[in-house]
Amino acid sequence: DRQQHTRNFSIVAHIDHGKSTLADRILELTDTVSKREMKNQLLDSMDLERERGITIKLNAVELHYQAKDGETYIFHLIDTPGHVDFTYEVSRSLAACEGAVLVVDAAQGVEAQTLANVYLALDDDLEILPVINKIDLPSAQPEVVKQEIEDVIGLDGDDAVCTSAKTGMGVDELLEKIVQEVPAPSGDLEAPLKALIFDSIYDDYRGVVLSVRVVDGTVKAGDRIKLMNSGAEYEVTEVGVNSPKPLKRDILIAGDVGYITASIKDIQDTRVGDTVTNADHPTDKPLAGYREMNPMVYAGLYPTDNAKYNDLREALEKLQLNDAALEFEPETSQALGFGFRCGFLGLLHMDVIQERLEREFNMDLITTAPSVTYDVELTNGEHKQVSNPSEMPEVSAIREINEPVVKATIMVPNDYVGPVMELCQRKRGVFDTMEYLDDSRVNVIYHIPLSEIIFDFFDKLKSGTRGYASLDYELDGYRPSDLVKIDILLNSDKVDALSFISHRQFAQERARVITRKLKDIIPRQNFEIPIQAAIGAKIISRTNIKAYRKDVTARIHTGDPDRRAKLLDKQKRGKKRMKAVGTVEVPQAAFMAVLKTD
Ligand code: GTP
């Protein structure tokens, strides 16, 4: 009976179409949170998410809905991120559900990630409920969007519910539709326990908290469970659901979405995608789990204070538990000391990890410029994977360098096809196809080097199309390229952490831009600092940072100790995220200068 009254669904959408706001309204309408407790984007529980107004992590909550048929239904709602870097979070959420609410902005219409999400939902055989949101906007065009839903997605546009997550309009109708159209979970209560771990988090008191979807069987406190991948066994201390605060339950049964704690302290034992079973009555076959995610970009992470190296390792281990896509291994740099080479799904992901390490773990970090992984064929026939530019072999030892290429799908109104193609060409793209989606929109497909995409492609795409183009991409193999390593010398010392790879054609220009940028970023010191860019032994660009001798505080009247203290304090804080490289103090921003192409 409980199964018959359960509905598990995710909310998916292109970024900013209103998923989190819609989730807020649903929580409100179902009295899951009281008006008093209500705040915007309630499920975006990290400060970082609220500040940036984006969802980074999936979030699952249980709520109760009294339907028009008089029955009460249990909903498990999973809010998901919209940014392309976090697609992995979306696919994990979907695997825990029977339905997907697909939110489409009534003014923006169907965009690249709308379509990408549809494909993900179809892969999992989910029932898709289209929603046209923001119909309160004067620029809303629900009829046009309905037609797009038919033509581009292939769903019945008339089925779409029109909502305003802002005013709450249409949300009731959506809730009824969820009851009627999302299938109830099936799953055998008597079978051995099979639960999918779709997320996890480390809690200092409770140990690892596993977010699970119970597929078969039941689980309760006192049960012995086994994590099938690692083989580790534990006794369950508590099961429950988030509503949105953790709420203890006696039992979780097939079809439920909730959490399990079992005093798991060993982080290595738990892996997202693993199956939890009962240790005494185990299932013989684990669930399919998730496909391994390969990072798209790598960067070095170094503590500004070398003594914090072990703290950083511990922090990364804990974060990895909550972020299955994060990878890391120890690395040393002549310039920066001991740190870690970390793999990320994209630049936003990298940014988020750095900020989480700083906020949640109190780390003070230097991050080096991100790099893709190159496949280098050596003259002796061997292949070497290089994700750290400073480890690129000598030119004489290289036969060929292959770089990763993505298949980029750019959805754009007809009028902007020209600028989009121009941009793709400039970024060394190779044209694939162009598909007309309906009479106003096209999908332009290009194969573009990943390194060009991660630099500033997206910003350029947006500005070149007045914000109308949207992008989705996936890795598509490697191709040979004429690439060179450019080294940066500060005060005649090569700084390994500043080396980068560039296409030969752009090397001169990039070197010029970067030396100029570094000149602006690195503070003057009491001696002149030459900045040089070199390919091998050949200097291709140079500039100088002039010496600067005055102590800023010297000019302040000594009779004003307060001001002096404030200023010193300000200087001290400004020192954060600086690293002494040889004799030169280098701020964090310098390591990112490589990302700027103009
Ligand atoms: P990500 O999680 O970052 O992908 O974004 P999201 O899809 O969750 O979007 P979010 O709910 O954060 O909403 C994006 C913006 O649209 C916010 O500024 C919302 O206030 C606004 N918004 C959401 N729904 C509506 C709506 O129905 N009407 C209007 N006018 N604005 C809305």
Side-chain angles (χ1 to χ4, degrees), residues 11-25 40-41 44 49 52-57 79-83 86 103 105 132-138 163-169 348:
I11 308 185
V12 295
H14 189 81
I15 193 157
D16 275 351
H17 283 200
K19 289 176 304 284
S20 304
T21 313
L22 184 63
D24 286 352
R25 288 298 85 69
N40 285 344
Q41 267 126 38
D44 288 344
E49 293 182 305
R52 299 196 177 193
I54 54 164
T55 306
I56 294 166
K57 286 291 303 172
D79 185 18
T80 61
H83 192 280
F86 304 120
V103 180
D105 186 309
I132 300 174
N133 186 38
K134 306 199 190 181
I135 52 161
D136 59 289
L137 288 177
T163 63
S164 164
K166 190 174 172 190
T167 66
M169 194 177 142
L348 179 61

Coordinates of all heavy atoms in Angstrom, one line a residue, residues 11-25 40-41 44 49 52-57 79-83 86 103 105 132-138 163-169 348, ligand 1:
I11 N 13.5 16.8 -10.5 CA 13.2 18.0 -11.3 C 14.5 18.3 -12.1 O 15.6 18.5 -11.6 CB 12.8 19.2 -10.5 CG1 11.7 18.8 -9.5 CG2 12.4 20.4 -11.3 CD1 11.2 20.0 -8.7
V12 N 14.3 18.3 -13.4 CA 15.5 18.6 -14.3 C 15.2 19.8 -15.2 O 14.0 20.1 -15.5 CB 15.9 17.4 -15.1 CG1 16.4 16.2 -14.3 CG2 14.8 16.9 -16.0
A13 N 16.2 20.5 -15.6 CA 16.0 21.6 -16.5 C 17.3 22.2 -17.0 O 18.4 21.9 -16.4 CB 15.3 22.8 -15.8
H14 N 17.3 23.0 -18.0 CA 18.5 23.8 -18.4 C 18.7 24.8 -17.3 O 17.8 25.2 -16.5 CB 18.1 24.6 -19.7 CG 19.3 25.2 -20.3 ND1 20.3 24.6 -21.0 CD2 19.8 26.5 -20.2 CE1 21.2 25.4 -21.4 NE2 20.9 26.6 -20.9
I15 N 19.9 25.3 -17.1 CA 20.3 26.2 -16.0 C 19.4 27.4 -16.0 O 19.0 27.9 -17.0 CB 21.8 26.5 -16.1 CG1 22.2 27.2 -14.8 CG2 22.1 27.4 -17.3 CD1 23.7 27.1 -14.6
D16 N 18.9 27.8 -14.8 CA 18.1 29.0 -14.6 C 16.7 28.9 -15.0 O 16.0 29.9 -15.1 CB 18.8 30.2 -15.2 CG 19.8 30.8 -14.2 OD1 19.8 30.4 -13.1 OD2 20.6 31.7 -14.7
H17 N 16.2 27.8 -15.4 CA 14.8 27.7 -15.9 C 13.8 27.6 -14.7 O 12.6 27.7 -14.9 CB 14.6 26.6 -16.9 CG 15.1 26.9 -18.2 ND1 14.7 26.3 -19.4 CD2 16.0 27.9 -18.6 CE1 15.3 26.8 -20.4 NE2 16.1 27.8 -20.0
G18 N 14.4 27.4 -13.5 CA 13.5 27.6 -12.3 C 13.2 26.3 -11.5 O 12.3 26.3 -10.7
K19 N 14.1 25.3 -11.6 CA 14.0 24.1 -10.8 C 13.9 24.3 -9.3 O 13.0 23.8 -8.7 CB 15.2 23.1 -11.0 CG 15.3 22.5 -12.4 CD 16.6 21.7 -12.4 CE 17.8 22.5 -12.1 NZ 18.2 23.4 -13.2
S20 N 14.9 25.0 -8.8 CA 14.9 25.2 -7.3 C 13.8 26.0 -6.8 O 13.2 25.7 -5.8 CB 16.3 25.8 -6.9 OG 17.3 25.1 -7.4
T21 N 13.4 27.0 -7.6 CA 12.2 27.8 -7.2 C 10.9 27.0 -7.2 O 10.1 27.1 -6.3 CB 12.1 29.0 -8.1 OG1 13.3 29.6 -8.3 CG2 11.1 30.0 -7.6
L22 N 10.8 26.1 -8.2 CA 9.6 25.2 -8.3 C 9.6 24.3 -7.1 O 8.6 24.0 -6.5 CB 9.7 24.5 -9.6 CG 8.5 23.5 -9.9 CD1 7.2 24.4 -10.0 CD2 8.7 22.7 -11.1
A23 N 10.8 23.8 -6.8 CA 10.9 22.9 -5.6 C 10.5 23.6 -4.3 O 9.7 23.0 -3.5 CB 12.3 22.3 -5.4
D24 N 10.8 24.9 -4.2 CA 10.4 25.7 -3.0 C 8.9 25.7 -2.9 O 8.3 25.5 -1.9 CB 10.9 27.1 -3.2 CG 12.4 27.3 -2.9 OD1 13.0 26.3 -2.5 OD2 12.9 28.4 -3.2
R25 N 8.2 26.0 -4.1 CA 6.8 26.1 -4.1 C 6.1 24.8 -3.7 O 5.1 24.7 -3.0 CB 6.2 26.5 -5.5 CG 6.5 27.9 -5.9 CD 5.8 29.0 -5.0 NE 6.6 29.3 -3.8 CZ 7.8 30.0 -3.9 NH1 8.2 30.4 -5.0 NH2 8.4 30.2 -2.8
N40 N 14.2 31.2 0.3 CA 14.4 30.9 -1.1 C 15.4 29.8 -1.4 O 16.4 29.7 -0.7 CB 14.8 32.1 -1.9 CG 13.6 33.1 -2.1 OD1 12.4 32.7 -1.9 ND2 13.9 34.3 -2.5
Q41 N 15.1 29.0 -2.4 CA 16.0 27.9 -2.8 C 16.5 27.1 -1.5 O 17.6 26.9 -1.2 CB 17.3 28.5 -3.5 CG 17.1 28.4 -5.0 CD 17.3 29.8 -5.7 OE1 18.2 30.5 -5.3 NE2 16.4 30.1 -6.6
D44 N 18.9 24.3 -1.8 CA 20.3 24.6 -2.1 C 20.9 24.8 -0.7 O 21.0 26.0 -0.3 CB 20.4 25.8 -3.0 CG 20.0 25.5 -4.4 OD1 20.0 24.3 -4.8 OD2 19.8 26.4 -5.2
E49 N 25.8 27.6 -2.8 CA 24.8 27.5 -3.8 C 23.9 28.7 -3.7 O 23.4 29.3 -4.8 CB 23.9 26.3 -3.5 CG 24.7 25.0 -3.8 CD 23.8 23.7 -3.5 OE1 23.3 23.6 -2.4 OE2 23.7 22.9 -4.4
R52 N 25.6 32.0 -5.2 CA 25.7 32.0 -6.6 C 24.4 31.8 -7.3 O 24.3 31.9 -8.6 CB 26.7 30.9 -7.1 CG 28.1 31.1 -6.5 CD 29.0 30.3 -7.3 NE 30.4 30.5 -6.8 CZ 31.4 30.1 -7.5 NH1 31.3 29.5 -8.6 NH2 32.6 30.3 -7.0
G53 N 23.4 31.4 -6.6 CA 22.1 31.1 -7.2 C 22.1 29.9 -8.1 O 21.3 29.9 -9.0
I54 N 22.9 29.0 -7.8 CA 23.0 27.8 -8.7 C 22.9 26.6 -7.8 O 23.3 26.6 -6.6 CB 24.2 27.7 -9.5 CG1 25.5 27.8 -8.7 CG2 24.2 28.7 -10.6 CD1 26.7 27.3 -9.4
T55 N 22.4 25.5 -8.3 CA 22.4 24.2 -7.6 C 23.6 23.5 -8.0 O 23.9 23.4 -9.2 CB 21.1 23.4 -8.0 OG1 20.0 24.2 -7.7 CG2 21.0 22.2 -7.1
I56 N 24.3 23.0 -7.0 CA 25.6 22.2 -7.3 C 25.4 20.8 -7.1 O 25.8 19.9 -7.8 CB 26.7 22.8 -6.5 CG1 27.0 24.3 -6.9 CG2 28.0 21.9 -6.6 CD1 27.8 25.0 -5.9
K57 N 24.7 20.5 -6.0 CA 24.4 19.1 -5.5 C 23.0 18.7 -5.7 O 22.1 19.6 -5.6 CB 24.8 19.0 -4.0 CG 26.2 19.1 -3.7 CD 26.9 17.9 -4.1 CE 26.3 16.6 -3.6 NZ 26.9 15.4 -4.2
D79 N 15.9 17.5 -6.3 CA 16.3 18.7 -7.1 C 17.7 18.5 -7.7 O 18.5 17.9 -7.0 CB 16.3 19.9 -6.2 CG 16.5 21.2 -6.9 OD1 16.3 21.3 -8.2 OD2 16.9 22.2 -6.3
T80 N 17.9 18.9 -8.9 CA 19.2 18.6 -9.5 C 19.9 19.9 -10.1 O 19.2 20.9 -10.3 CB 19.1 17.6 -10.7 OG1 18.2 18.2 -11.7 CG2 18.5 16.3 -10.2
P81 N 21.2 19.9 -10.3 CA 21.8 21.0 -10.9 C 21.6 21.1 -12.4 O 21.2 20.1 -13.0 CB 23.3 20.8 -10.7 CG 23.4 19.5 -9.8 CD 22.2 18.8 -9.9
G82 N 21.7 22.3 -12.9 CA 21.5 22.5 -14.4 C 22.7 22.7 -15.2 O 22.7 22.5 -16.4
H83 N 23.8 23.1 -14.6 CA 25.0 23.3 -15.3 C 25.7 22.1 -15.9 O 25.7 21.0 -15.2 CB 26.0 24.1 -14.4 CG 27.2 24.7 -15.2 ND1 28.3 23.9 -15.6 CD2 27.4 25.9 -15.6 CE1 29.1 24.7 -16.2 NE2 28.6 25.9 -16.2
F86 N 27.7 19.5 -14.0 CA 27.1 18.6 -13.0 C 26.1 17.6 -13.5 O 25.3 17.1 -12.8 CB 26.5 19.5 -11.9 CG 27.5 20.5 -11.3 CD1 27.2 21.9 -11.4 CD2 28.6 20.1 -10.7 CE1 28.1 22.8 -10.9 CE2 29.6 21.0 -10.2 CZ 29.3 22.3 -10.3
V103 N 11.5 21.0 -16.6 CA 11.1 22.4 -16.5 C 11.7 23.2 -17.7 O 12.9 23.1 -18.0 CB 11.6 23.1 -15.2 CG1 11.2 24.5 -15.2 CG2 11.0 22.3 -14.0
D105 N 11.7 27.0 -19.5 CA 11.4 28.5 -19.3 C 10.5 28.9 -20.4 O 10.8 28.8 -21.6 CB 12.8 29.2 -19.3 CG 12.6 30.7 -18.9 OD1 11.8 31.4 -19.6 OD2 13.4 31.1 -18.1
I132 N 6.0 24.1 -18.4 CA 6.4 25.4 -18.9 C 6.3 26.4 -17.8 O 5.2 26.7 -17.3 CB 5.5 25.8 -20.1 CG1 5.6 24.7 -21.2 CG2 5.9 27.2 -20.6 CD1 4.7 25.0 -22.4
N133 N 7.5 26.9 -17.3 CA 7.6 27.7 -16.1 C 7.8 29.2 -16.5 O 8.1 29.5 -17.6 CB 8.7 27.2 -15.2 CG 8.8 27.9 -13.9 OD1 7.7 28.2 -13.3 ND2 10.0 28.2 -13.4
K134 N 7.6 30.0 -15.5 CA 7.7 31.5 -15.6 C 6.7 32.1 -16.6 O 6.9 33.0 -17.3 CB 9.1 31.9 -16.2 CG 10.3 31.3 -15.4 CD 11.6 32.0 -15.6 CE 12.8 31.3 -15.0 NZ 14.0 32.0 -15.2
I135 N 5.4 31.5 -16.5 CA 4.4 32.1 -17.4 C 3.9 33.5 -16.9 O 3.2 34.1 -17.6 CB 3.2 31.1 -17.6 CG1 2.7 30.7 -16.3 CG2 3.5 30.0 -18.5 CD1 1.2 30.2 -16.4
D136 N 4.4 33.9 -15.8 CA 4.1 35.2 -15.3 C 4.9 36.3 -16.0 O 4.5 37.4 -16.0 CB 4.3 35.3 -13.8 CG 5.8 35.0 -13.5 OD1 6.2 33.9 -13.6 OD2 6.5 36.0 -13.1
L137 N 6.0 35.9 -16.7 CA 6.8 36.9 -17.4 C 6.1 37.5 -18.6 O 5.4 36.7 -19.3 CB 8.1 36.2 -17.9 CG 9.2 35.8 -16.8 CD1 10.3 35.1 -17.6 CD2 9.6 37.1 -16.1
P138 N 6.2 38.8 -18.8 CA 5.6 39.4 -19.9 C 6.1 38.8 -21.2 O 5.4 38.7 -22.2 CB 6.0 40.9 -19.8 CG 6.5 41.1 -18.5 CD 6.9 39.7 -17.9
T163 N 3.2 26.7 -15.4 CA 3.4 27.1 -14.0 C 4.1 28.5 -13.9 O 4.8 28.9 -14.8 CB 4.2 26.1 -13.2 OG1 5.6 26.1 -13.7 CG2 3.7 24.7 -13.2
S164 N 3.9 29.1 -12.7 CA 4.8 30.2 -12.3 C 5.4 29.7 -11.0 O 4.6 29.7 -10.0 CB 4.1 31.5 -12.2 OG 4.9 32.4 -11.5
A165 N 6.6 29.4 -10.9 CA 7.2 29.0 -9.6 C 7.3 30.2 -8.7 O 7.4 30.1 -7.5 CB 8.6 28.4 -9.9
K166 N 7.2 31.4 -9.4 CA 7.3 32.6 -8.6 C 6.0 32.8 -7.8 O 6.0 33.1 -6.6 CB 7.6 33.8 -9.5 CG 7.9 35.0 -8.8 CD 8.3 36.1 -9.8 CE 8.5 37.4 -9.2 NZ 8.7 38.5 -10.2
T167 N 4.9 32.8 -8.5 CA 3.6 33.0 -7.9 C 2.9 31.8 -7.3 O 2.0 31.8 -6.5 CB 2.6 33.7 -8.8 OG1 2.3 32.7 -9.9 CG2 3.2 34.9 -9.5
G168 N 3.3 30.6 -7.8 CA 2.7 29.4 -7.3 C 1.6 28.9 -8.3 O 1.1 27.8 -8.1
M169 N 1.3 29.7 -9.3 CA 0.3 29.3 -10.2 C 0.6 28.0 -10.9 O 1.8 27.8 -11.4 CB 0.2 30.4 -11.3 CG -1.0 30.4 -12.1 SD -0.9 31.8 -13.2 CE -1.5 31.2 -14.7
L348 N 33.7 25.2 -13.6 CA 32.8 25.6 -12.5 C 33.0 24.6 -11.4 O 33.1 24.9 -10.2 CB 31.4 25.6 -13.0 CG 30.3 25.9 -11.9 CD1 30.6 27.3 -11.3 CD2 28.9 25.8 -12.5
Ligands
GTP1 P1 20.1 25.9 -11.4 O1 19.8 25.0 -10.2 O2 21.3 26.8 -11.1 O3 20.2 25.2 -12.7 O4 18.9 27.0 -11.6 P2 17.4 26.6 -11.4 O5 16.9 26.0 -12.6 O6 17.2 25.9 -10.1 O7 16.7 28.0 -11.3 P3 16.3 28.8 -10.1 O8 15.1 28.2 -9.4 O9 17.5 29.2 -9.3 O10 15.7 30.1 -10.8 C1 16.4 30.9 -11.7 C2 15.9 32.3 -11.7 O11 14.6 32.4 -12.2 C3 15.8 32.9 -10.3 O12 16.1 34.3 -10.3 C4 14.3 32.8 -10.0 O13 13.8 33.7 -9.0 C5 13.6 32.9 -11.3 N1 12.4 32.2 -11.5 C6 12.1 30.9 -11.2 N2 10.9 30.6 -11.5 C7 10.3 31.8 -11.9 C8 8.9 32.1 -12.3 O14 8.0 31.3 -12.4 N3 8.7 33.4 -12.7 C9 9.7 34.3 -12.7 N4 9.4 35.5 -13.1 N5 10.9 34.0 -12.3 C10 11.2 32.8 -11.9

